[in-house]
Amino acid sequence: MDSTRSAELFRQIVLPHLRDALALARWLAGNQSDAEDIVQESCVRALKSVDGYAGGSARAWLLAIVRNTAFTWLARHRSASLVMVGDLGDIDDVSRDADTAAEPQPTPESELIRRADQRALATAIATLSLPLREVVVLRDISGFSYKEIAAVLNLPIGTVMSRLSRGRHQVATEIRRADA
Amino acid sequence: MTRTIPEDDRIALNALADGELDTATASTLVARLAADADLQQAYDTIVATRDALGGLELPVVPLEFLARIENLATPSPADSPLLRPRHYRWEGWRNIAASVLVTALIASSATYLFTSPRGPSLEQMVASAHRRSLLAANPVDVLSSDRHTVKPWLDQHLGVSPPAPDLAAAGYPLLGGRVEVLGQQALPTLVYRHNEHTISVVAQPGSTTTAAPRSLASGGYNMVEWSIAGFDFTAASDLEPAELATFVAAYLKAAG
C-alpha cells in the first residue's frame, strides 16, 4: 500500500476521532499540552499501522492506540504518578473497596451530584486510579458502549462493567465528601 | 440509614442506567427497584453521576493542532483541502467531504482565525463551496426544515449560529445547514431552496457593522453580501440576481 493510500485512510479513520482521542489523553495525562503530545505520538503510530486496520470501530481502534501510547508516555515522563495506580490485580478486587459503608444523607445524594460543578467533577475524576478513570471517561464523557470500551482496553466486558461501577461510585463519593 | 448495596447489584444498576442489560434482566431489576427504596436510591445516584459526567465537555481540538496532525499524513505545505487543485479525482470527494466535516466538527467555539486571504477572495471561496455542495450527494450536513434543529446543530458544532428563519411561506423552504471551511475558518452555512434552485447562505461571525445587501457575481453564481447582527453574510445561488435579492429581502425581514 502506498503512502498516498495510507494518508487517505488516515484522514478517514483517524481525523474524525481526534476529539475523543484528546479527551481520553487529557483525562489520563491531566493537561491539554501533554494530551496533545500523546495524541500526536498516537497519530504517528496510527499512520504507520493504518494499512493493517481490519475494519470495525475506527474509534475503538484509534483510542486503543491512544490509550497504550498514553500509558507508555506516562511511564516515561511520570513514573512516580503511575505508582499510584497500584497493582492491576488489586484494582479489580472488590473487597479492597474501602468506601462501601453507607452514611446518613440529609440531602438525596443524587441531588447533590446533579448540583456539582465542572471543577468538582474534574477533581473527583482525578482521584480515580487510571484503570477506573479510563473506563469512566470512555463511557460517560465520550459515550462509548461497553463493547467498544472492552475493545479499546482489551478487557472482558465484565471487568469493564465492574470498573465503571466502581469508578462512578467513587466519583459520587468524592463529590459528597467535597460537599460535606 | 441506608444499607450497603452489593457490588453485583451495583454493577447491574449501572448497566441498567446505560441500557446495556438484556430485556429480561432489566425488567427483573426494574421490578426490584420498585420494591426497594435503597436500591432505587443507589440507582438514582448512578444516573445522576452518569448525567453529571456526561455534561462535561469534550475538549476542543485546536486548529493549530489539527493542522499538525494533518501534516503527519501530508508533509507538503498544500494541506487545506480548499487550496488543492480544483480538478479532483472523483474518488477524492469522499475524503474531501469527510475532511471538511471533520475540520468543522473540531473547530468549534472561539477558534475563528481571521486571516486575510491571500489566495481566493471570500466570494470565490463561497462560490466554490456552493458548487461543491451542489455536486455532493447532499447539500446539507443536517437535513431539516426545522430551524429549531438547524440552529442548535450549528451551535453545537461551531459554537455559533446565524438566525435561521424558515422562509417556506415566502417560497424559500429551509433545507438544512452545513459547515463550510473557507480558508482557516469553519463557517455556519444555511441552505434554502427556491423551486429547483439551491441557495447557500454563508455566515461569517465577527461583523461589527451593518451593511445593506450588495449584489455581485463570482465563479458563475450570483451573490449578495450583507452584514447584520454580528455576521457578514454571503448568499450564493444560480438564481437570477433580482430573484436572489428578493430572497435576501425575505431573509432580512424574517431575521429581524
Side-chain angles (χ1 to χ4, degrees), chain B residues 65-226:
Chain B
F65 178 69
L66 173 67
R68 236 195 301 158
I69 299 301
E70 281 196 305
N71 274 334
L72 294 176
T74 49
S76 68
D79 291 311
S80 164
L82 291 168
L83 298 179
R84 287 194 205 114
R86 290 194 183 170
H87 304 287
Y88 305 106
R89 287 170 300 134
W90 273 101
E91 63 266 27
W93 274 104
R94 209 183 127 122
N95 302 329
I96 291 155
S99 174
V100 166
L101 184 59
V102 167
T103 312
L105 279 172
I106 57 194
S108 80
S109 76
T111 39
Y112 296 95
L113 303 175
F114 283 79
T115 52
S116 51
R118 277 182 210 156
S121 69
L122 181 66
E123 293 81 19
Q124 287 167 332
M125 291 195 289
V126 170
S128 300
H130 181 67
R131 180 184 299 112
R132 265 200 314 279
S133 79
L134 297 179
L135 289 170
N138 201 325
V140 294
D141 294 331
V142 53
L143 180 65
S144 176
S145 58
D146 183 354
R147 65 196 175 87
H148 296 298
T149 304
V150 175
K151 210 169 146 52
W153 186 90
L154 289 169
D155 252 332
Q156 187 195 341
H157 288 90
L158 294 172
V160 64
S161 63
D166 186 17
L167 305 172
Y172 308 97
L174 178 62
L175 213 57
R178 67 173 188 271
V179 174
E180 282 299 344
V181 179
L182 303 181
Q184 288 292 310
Q185 298 179 73
L187 302 179
T189 301
L190 305 169
V191 183
Y192 289 90
R193 202 182 65 220
H194 183 58
N195 300 329
E196 294 310 307
H197 304 280
T198 303
I199 307 164
S200 293
V201 181
V202 178
Q204 182 175 34
S207 167
T208 50
T209 56
T210 300
R214 182 171 74 91
S215 294
L216 60 152
S218 180
Y221 296 104
N222 291 310
M223 310 182 100
V224 176
E225 290 180 339
W226 72 99

Side-chain angles (χ1 to χ4, degrees), chain A residues 18-20 22-23 26 32 36, chain B residues 57-66 103-112 156-159:
Chain A
L18 274 187
R19 203 174 187 185
D20 286 319
L22 265 184
R26 198 180 67 176
Q32 177 78 16
E36 289 187 10
Chain B
E57 287 174 3
L58 284 170
V60 167
V61 180
L63 280 181
E64 178 272 331
F65 178 69
L66 173 67
T103 312
L105 279 172
I106 57 194
S108 80
S109 76
T111 39
Y112 296 95
Q156 187 195 341
H157 288 90
L158 294 172

Side-chain angles (χ1 to χ4, degrees), chain A residues 58-74:
Chain A
R59 185 163 79 146
W61 179 80
L62 176 66
L63 272 275
I65 296 176
V66 171
R67 186 256 183 183
N68 292 334
T69 306
F71 278 87
T72 312
W73 193 95
L74 288 171

Side-chain angles (χ1 to χ4, degrees), chain A residues 11-12 15 19 23 36 40 47 100 102 105 109-110 114 118 121 125 139-140 146 164-166 168-169, chain B residues 2 4 7 10 14-15 18 20 41 45 50-56 59 68 70 72 74 84 95:
Chain A
R11 285 173 186 281
Q12 282 180 16
L15 294 189
R19 203 174 187 185
E36 289 187 10
Q40 180 162 350
L47 183 60
T100 46
Q105 291 159 29
E109 192 174 55
S110 56
R114 286 190 191 283
Q118 303 249 329
L121 284 165
I125 293 171
R139 171 60 219 157
D140 285 334
Y146 290 5
L164 176 64
S165 171
R166 289 155 43 72
R168 280 179 179 162
H169 186 56
Chain B
T2 54
T4 299
E7 187 64 18
R10 198 183 290 286
N14 275 280
D18 293 329
E20 297 259 7
Q41 189 182 328
T45 297
R50 180 203 62 188
D51 291 348
L53 291 168
L56 287 171
R68 236 195 301 158
E70 281 196 305
L72 294 176
T74 49
R84 287 194 205 114
N95 302 329

